[in-house]
Amino acid sequence: MKRRTKCYIYTRVSTSIQVDGYSLDAQKDKLRKYAEYEDMTIVGEYSDEGFSGKNIQGRLEFQRMLNDIQDGKDDVLFVLVFKLSRFGRNAADVLNSLQLMQDFGVNLICVEDGIDSSKDSGKLMISVLSAVAEIERENIRTQTMAGREQKAREGKWNGAFAPYGYRLENGNLVIAEDEVEVIKLIYDHYIHTNDGLIAVATYLNNHGYTKKLRQNGTIPGFSAHFVKSVIDNPVYMGKIAYGRRRTEKKLGTRNEIHVVEQNEFPIYEGQHEAIISEDDWNLAQEKRKLNAFKREKVHNPEHAHILSGILKCPCCGKSLYGNIAKAHSKDKKTRYYYYCKNTVGATGHKCTFRVNIEQTEMNRMVAAIVSAMVSNLQFSEAIKEKIGTSVDTDSLEKQLDTLQGQLRQTLGIKTRLERQMDTLDITDVHFDRKMLDLQRRYDEQYNKVEDIEIQIDEVNNRIRNIRQEKISGDNIYRLLLAFDEVYGSATEQEQKEFMRAFIERIDLYPEKQKDGNWIKNIVFAFPVPVNGKEVKELPLENGTTVETVVLMSRKND
């Protein structure tokens, strides 16, 4: 009996609802029928839904298929695709991927195109068609961008959201009466006072002004970044700018891109009504240039803000960070403090905790608590039992997997929307409305991606803190047992690494207690033995910081 040839099938659609008739099911059905007709056995199916063919990055199933081919997992001889465009639209990626497959004895068959890379003419045809597909994709993008630039030349707005101070009516900018006062006040205050961006935002927040919440703004307070975006935007003097930000390829990478602010860009006369005069806008730009310098930071390079990011503000709950005071004229000493950024810089978040906590005092207080804990005999015995076991990060890793899944899904949606925008017909009478709707949804995905990435970073940091190469697992326990001997002789950076590995957060009282204590509660990075129990939190609400822990220790001695 003749042995049947083994093959994989690969399918891809750029959108969840493919508009060209080549749905995933339709592709799979065609490929299965072809395999049956050619007496092939399908031993693996790979499918990417919602991913553009511009490169293989993000196409997880495609990459898994290539890995399986390299591993010789199923001894396949062919990969079947519906059309070459389903395999990829980037000529370099298509040819590189095909070469990799052929290096392992696997060829590509494009069923609809009638191409077989195992034949002499097949690879030449693939080279030609993949190049054409890439040129087609770039032409679509170029036409779309040209259409947007033409709208700018005509003075029409081509963004998804109206800038603050305006609203959109049938795609045209109209002054929003409930927002325009703030725009005028920003320019007036910035031009006619010595205040900078932060001071202007602070002025608005302290004088009863609140920002109207809408799709592209979720914080009612005003931030320095918001003020900057208003000052820098020529739309407020009745102009339309094109290309203020451009997507550019990152140098030294193959496919990574990022958004880059442009120093120079064309400005066209807009069809909308100006909110401020061109003279005032120019005055604001002159002041921006005068103030646009970076202050040189001068401090001890060996100093580390040991508890930065661990201490939490008792008012807004955000992290406290290190602050540096210039050397005093009397003793020539530089002083270091912990402070809440929300009370100093205008971030849009309201906070009243205006205390600078002296770092030496706080660092000693926390070190004293840890020292008192490890001096407990039961604590040290329990820690010794833990040596040889690893810290459990399963729940964090499951949380990370969930977040990464959400990120992949959101990136997929963003890619699908990008594809839809690229393929919009610029001659369509509803082009503007369709583009606005797609752009709005596209921008929403960026916000979601940012939120998910922040959560992923937080979870990764927690895992990293526990699994640090030098002070994870057994090492952290050994360090705890020798805390009094080791911690005092360590550098400040090493002390900071230890604290980040051991402590997740420290909650503070809004003011120093009569007994000198600042600390209300400590949350550890992993359960620690206290009073015969394993706990993640250590409340310190009664008695002085050190005495409380010492008393706990004595109860068990």
Side-chain angles (χ1 to χ4, degrees):
M1 182 177 177
K2 182 181 176 182
R3 186 178 180 183
R4 301 184 69 172
T5 303
K6 295 180 181 179
C7 70
Y8 288 152
I9 66 172
Y10 175 73
T11 54
R12 178 184 66 80
V13 290
S14 300
T15 59
S16 57
I17 305 176
Q18 190 71 14
V19 296
D20 55 10
Y22 306 131
S23 67
L24 288 176
D25 289 339
Q27 292 178 48
K28 289 176 182 178
D29 182 62
K30 185 83 172 182
L31 296 177
R32 287 166 184 161
K33 287 179 179 177
Y34 179 89
E36 184 63 31
Y37 180 78
E38 293 292 335
D39 204 25
M40 294 182 177
T41 300
I42 299 172
V43 293
E45 297 188 7
Y46 305 82
S47 182
D48 284 310
E49 179 179 350
F51 291 98
S52 168
K54 65 182 179 181
N55 58 59
I56 65 173
Q57 301 301 318
R59 290 200 277 154
L60 302 181
E61 284 289 279
F62 186 85
Q63 294 182 51
R64 185 169 71 87
M65 179 183 72
L66 294 182
N67 289 334
D68 288 347
I69 289 173
Q70 292 178 77
D71 294 340
K73 179 181 175 185
D74 300 295
D75 296 323
V76 296
L77 295 179
F78 291 96
V79 169
L80 309 185
V81 296
F82 183 60
K83 296 184 70 175
L84 181 61
S85 62
R86 301 303 91 200
F87 192 72
R89 289 181 181 269
N90 180 300
D93 278 339
V94 167
L95 296 177
N96 287 339
S97 299
L98 177 59
Q99 186 60 57
L100 185 149
M101 288 167 48
Q102 290 185 323
D103 288 345
F104 289 87
V106 180
N107 278 288
L108 176 69
I109 294 178
C110 308
V111 173
E112 189 76 359
D113 298 323
I115 299 174
D116 183 345
S117 70
S118 65
K119 298 177 180 178
D120 292 339
S121 60
K123 190 167 183 180
L124 176 60
M125 187 62 71
I126 286 173
S127 300
V128 174
L129 290 181
S130 60
V132 169
E134 182 172 5
I135 292 170
E136 177 190 8
R137 180 175 61 83
E138 291 303 321
N139 282 342
I140 292 170
R141 178 176 289 278
T142 301
Q143 290 169 11
T144 302
M145 298 308 294
R148 293 178 184 176
E149 185 170 10
Q150 181 58 35
K151 287 188 67 178
R153 287 196 189 99
E154 295 171 2
K156 298 177 181 178
W157 179 252
N158 58 13
F161 300 112
Y164 200 86
Y166 289 98
R167 55 186 171 85
L168 283 175
E169 282 189 5
N170 298 321
N172 299 315
L173 292 179
V174 179
I175 291 178
E177 298 300 332
D178 56 343
E179 297 176 352
V180 69
E181 180 188 359
V182 166
I183 301 300
K184 291 179 178 179
L185 181 58
I186 286 174
Y187 275 92
D188 182 67
H189 200 79
Y190 187 73
I191 293 168
H192 298 113
T193 71
N194 292 325
D195 286 351
L197 301 176
I198 293 176
V200 171
T202 302
Y203 176 86
L204 293 172
N205 292 328
N206 291 343
H207 286 77
Y209 293 94
T210 55
K211 187 169 56 177
K212 181 182 175 183
L213 300 184
R214 45 187 183 142
Q215 303 100 320
N216 55 341
T218 57
I219 301 174
F222 292 95
S223 67
H225 180 268
F226 174 82
V227 174
K228 174 183 177 295
S229 67
V230 169
I231 294 294
D232 289 348
N233 198 339
V235 73
Y236 296 109
M237 63 167 173
K239 310 286 186 181
I240 295 291
Y242 178 79
R244 293 173 62 206
R245 302 174 186 86
R246 289 191 183 277
T247 301
E248 298 181 1
K249 181 178 179 293
K250 284 186 178 180
L251 292 175
T253 68
R254 182 174 180 183
N255 292 311
E256 291 184 46
I257 59 174
H258 60 161
V259 177
V260 180
E261 295 276 354
Q262 303 298 307
N263 294 324
E264 296 183 3
F265 46 85
I267 297 177
Y268 305 103
E269 196 67 41
Q271 295 185 7
H272 61 285
E273 183 181 350
I275 293 177
I276 54 119
S277 69
E278 189 169 344
D279 288 341
D280 281 351
W281 193 81
N282 287 329
L283 286 172
Q285 302 319 299
E286 290 176 10
K287 183 174 178 180
R288 283 279 288 124
K289 289 178 182 178
L290 289 173
N291 292 348
F293 67 91
K294 292 184 178 180
R295 298 182 181 180
E296 184 180 357
K297 295 182 178 180
V298 180
H299 62 276
N300 180 6
E302 295 182 359
H303 178 82
H305 307 294
I306 296 172
L307 301 175
S308 176
I310 298 176
L311 299 171
K312 302 300 176 181
C313 176
C315 173
C316 67
K318 301 294 182 179
S319 297
L320 300 189
Y321 292 94
N323 194 12
I324 303 170
K326 292 181 180 179
H328 197 277
S329 58
K330 292 183 178 179
D331 55 18
K332 306 295 182 183
K333 287 184 179 180
T334 300
R335 288 171 170 77
Y336 300 93
Y337 300 91
Y338 295 115
Y339 80 112
C340 180
K341 287 183 178 180
N342 289 337
T343 62
V344 179
T347 62
H349 298 276
K350 204 69 176 170
C351 183
T352 58
F353 188 68
R354 302 185 178 278
V355 181
N356 282 339
I357 301 176
E358 207 276 321
Q359 285 192 15
T360 302
E361 175 187 7
M362 181 59 71
N363 294 345
R364 287 175 178 169
M365 192 176 294
V366 175
I369 293 174
V370 178
S371 177
M373 289 176 62
V374 300
S375 65
N376 182 340
L377 181 59
Q378 285 194 358
F379 180 91
S380 60
E381 291 297 328
I383 286 295
K384 288 176 184 177
E385 290 180 8
K386 284 182 171 289
I387 294 178
T389 63
S390 60
V391 178
D392 183 13
T393 58
D394 287 348
S395 61
L396 287 175
E397 288 169 352
K398 288 178 182 177
Q399 185 181 347
L400 186 62
D401 287 342
T402 301
L403 288 170
Q404 289 172 336
Q406 293 173 2
L407 180 61
R408 286 194 296 270
Q409 182 180 23
T410 306
L411 289 173
I413 294 172
K414 186 172 74 66
T415 302
R416 294 198 293 272
L417 291 170
E418 182 183 62
R419 176 66 178 167
Q420 287 178 275
M421 286 190 287
D422 284 349
T423 55
L424 274 183
D425 184 358
I426 196 170
T427 62
D428 188 338
V429 293
H430 300 299
F431 175 83
D432 290 345
R433 294 181 65 183
K434 289 180 179 179
M435 180 58 74
L436 284 170
D437 180 57
L438 288 171
Q439 187 69 50
R440 175 183 60 78
R441 291 159 60 193
Y442 187 72
D443 289 344
E444 286 174 356
Q445 301 313 309
Y446 268 108
N447 292 333
K448 290 180 181 178
V449 167
E450 184 178 3
D451 289 342
I452 296 172
E453 286 180 338
I454 289 173
Q455 293 180 63
I456 287 175
D457 283 343
E458 289 176 351
V459 175
N460 269 326
N461 284 337
R462 290 174 64 186
I463 293 174
R464 194 177 301 115
N465 287 343
I466 296 172
R467 293 184 167 180
Q468 286 181 78
E469 181 178 352
K470 293 182 179 178
I471 47 176
S472 63
D474 290 356
N475 288 337
I476 188 70
Y477 296 128
R478 289 192 175 95
L479 279 173
L480 283 170
L481 290 174
F483 179 80
D484 289 339
E485 295 80 13
V486 174
Y487 189 80
S489 59
T491 66
E492 289 186 341
Q493 185 58 44
E494 289 170 339
Q495 291 175 351
K496 181 175 183 177
E497 290 176 2
F498 172 84
M499 287 300 181
R500 284 182 175 274
F502 186 44
I503 299 176
E504 184 176 306
R505 63 179 289 139
I506 297 175
D507 299 312
L508 304 179
Y509 286 107
E511 58 184 24
K512 185 188 289 188
Q513 304 299 288
K514 293 180 179 179
D515 55 19
N517 178 34
W518 273 109
I519 299 173
K520 184 176 182 180
N521 185 52
I522 299 178
V523 179
F524 300 104
F526 48 85
V528 296
V530 175
N531 280 349
K533 297 180 180 178
E534 287 204 342
V535 299
K536 275 204 70 176
E537 293 193 33
L538 180 64
L540 299 170
E541 299 183 5
N542 301 309
T544 64
T545 310
V546 181
E547 287 177 355
T548 303
V549 180
V550 171
L551 286 173
M552 287 182 183
S553 304
R554 287 174 179 170
K555 289 178 182 178
N556 299 298
D557 285 347

